[in-house]
Amino acid sequence: MSTFPAERTAIVTGAVSERGIGRATVNYLAAQGWNIGIIDLDDALCKSTAKEIAAEYGVQAYGVGANVADEASVRSAIDTLEAELPQIVALANVAGVSSPIGYLELEPAEWNRVLNINLNGVHYATRRVAESMVKNRIGRIVNISSVSAQRGGGTFSKTPYSVAKAGVIGLTRATARELGEYDITVNAISPGPIDTDIMGGTLSQERKDELTKDLVVNRVGSTRDIAAAIAFLISEDSGYISGQTLNVDGGLYMH
Ligand SMILES: NC(=O)c1ccc[n+]([C@@H]2O[C@H](COP(=O)([O-])OP(=O)(O)OC[C@H]3O[C@@H](n4cnc5c(N)ncnc54)[C@H](O)[C@@H]3O)[C@@H](O)[C@H]2O)c1
């Protein structure tokens, strides 16, 4: 069983959105002593978020702007984070976009945009960190899928989103299988409705009540619900969990 180095870094993509899952995750992980690498679209926001995290939690943090759909920029961002921060032990692929376009109105550009960000983006970051984790013989990767993958949509987003998030589960399982021999685990989290702004803006109480009707738990999810699940799956003690999809969805999907 491999152990973690004393100083370790978690890279989180999609971590600057104020009310988003990624932002809650970097707070949660920094509070646990993880050093933090941030990747999101806007370089200045990545850097200011990293500064806030470092000041608030007394950890090292660094941010680099990159579009996860562009492999060259993802690789270069992770090169920089690796040079600036302690050993990369974890990657959380949180960056993503919604897509409310109905199937019959769908144009190729929308299909490609969503697949490029929500699926290819996860692959590009995973592929780059895997190279370092294989050398270090330790790693934890968590990918954010969605209940949309399991239920054929049925959320705010429609087909390309559901397809990309189903692809994330396939990518999780296949990379878990190939990377396991290096003590790298790869898991997915499949959130149900979470109170962020991704579903066409901040949720009104009326929409929250509507979303809650299908759940067994009596509320929509919080970003902390997902951050805590990510923290669990990247922890040192989670090394025997790999290739799994953890549904953090208030009981929306049971199988
Ligand atoms: N909120 C929910 O109900 C819910 C449910 C299931 C899954 N998810 C998934 O959780 C993840 C986080 O979503 P959220 O709800 O926090 O939304 P959000 O919009 O608050 O956060 C998304 C983040 O990703 C970043 N991002 C978008 N495109 C990018 C790109 N091309 N390159 C780099 N960064 C990019 C954004 O700038 C933002 O910081 C997404 O993958 C989303 O699909 C959310």
Side-chain angles (χ1 to χ4, degrees):
M1 191 174 84
S2 303
T3 52
F4 280 5
E7 282 296 323
R8 68 224 189 276
T9 295
I11 294 180
V12 181
T13 70
V16 309
S17 158
E18 286 279 348
R19 296 188 63 254
I21 291 167
R23 181 63 208 252
T25 300
V26 293
N27 286 320
Y28 198 98
L29 297 180
Q32 292 189 334
W34 284 89
N35 301 294
I36 300 292
I38 288 173
I39 294 177
D40 207 301
L41 286 169
D42 185 300
D43 187 65
L45 277 178
C46 290
K47 291 197 162 49
S48 60
T49 305
K51 272 209 177 111
E52 284 172 31
I53 295 288
E56 192 170 345
Y57 298 98
V59 298
Q60 295 180 59
Y62 200 81
V64 185
N67 177 355
V68 293
D70 172 1
E71 185 165 23
S73 82
V74 172
R75 292 190 66 88
S76 137
I78 296 175
D79 289 348
T80 304
L81 293 176
E82 190 163 45
E84 295 288 336
L85 293 165
Q87 183 178 324
I88 299 167
V89 170
L91 167 68
N93 282 303
V94 179
V97 288
S98 59
S99 175
I101 313 290
Y103 192 61
L104 297 176
E105 285 76 52
L106 190 60
E107 300 286 346
E110 177 65 358
W111 175 272
N112 291 331
R113 179 184 78 92
V114 177
L115 270 289
N116 284 337
I117 297 170
N118 289 4
L119 178 56
N120 294 359
V122 177
H123 156 56
Y124 298 146
T126 298
R127 182 62 172 71
R128 171 60 188 82
V129 299
E131 291 166 23
S132 301
M133 289 174 176
V134 161
K135 281 188 206 133
N136 299 329
R137 299 195 78 87
I138 187 76
R140 301 273 188 268
I141 299 172
V142 175
N143 302 321
I144 302 301
S145 179
S146 167
V147 70
S148 169
Q150 298 154 320
R151 297 178 82 234
T155 62
F156 175 75
S157 289
K158 297 204 160 47
T159 300
Y161 182 87
S162 181
V163 169
K165 293 297 189 181
V168 166
I169 294 176
L171 178 67
T172 298
R173 292 175 177 167
T175 52
R177 187 180 297 281
E178 291 206 40
L179 301 175
E181 71 178 281
Y182 305 99
D183 278 333
I184 300 167
T185 67
V186 190
N187 292 288
I189 290 172
S190 192
I194 306 298
D195 184 12
T196 73
D197 298 336
I198 200 173
M199 288 182 278
T202 304
L203 297 172
S204 63
Q205 191 54 49
E206 200 180 7
R207 267 187 91 196
K208 285 186 196 171
D209 292 344
E210 193 59 37
L211 289 165
T212 306
K213 278 186 188 151
D214 292 334
L215 311 180
V216 300
V217 162
N218 196 27
R219 62 173 175 87
V220 296
S222 70
T223 54
R224 190 180 175 90
D225 291 323
I226 307 301
I230 292 174
F232 166 64
L233 287 172
I234 68 168
S235 68
E236 190 168 17
D237 288 342
S238 292
Y240 202 54
I241 304 172
S242 200
Q244 304 304 308
T245 301
L246 179 59
N247 302 329
V248 185
D249 65 359
L252 180 54
Y253 178 73
M254 299 188 196
H255 70 122

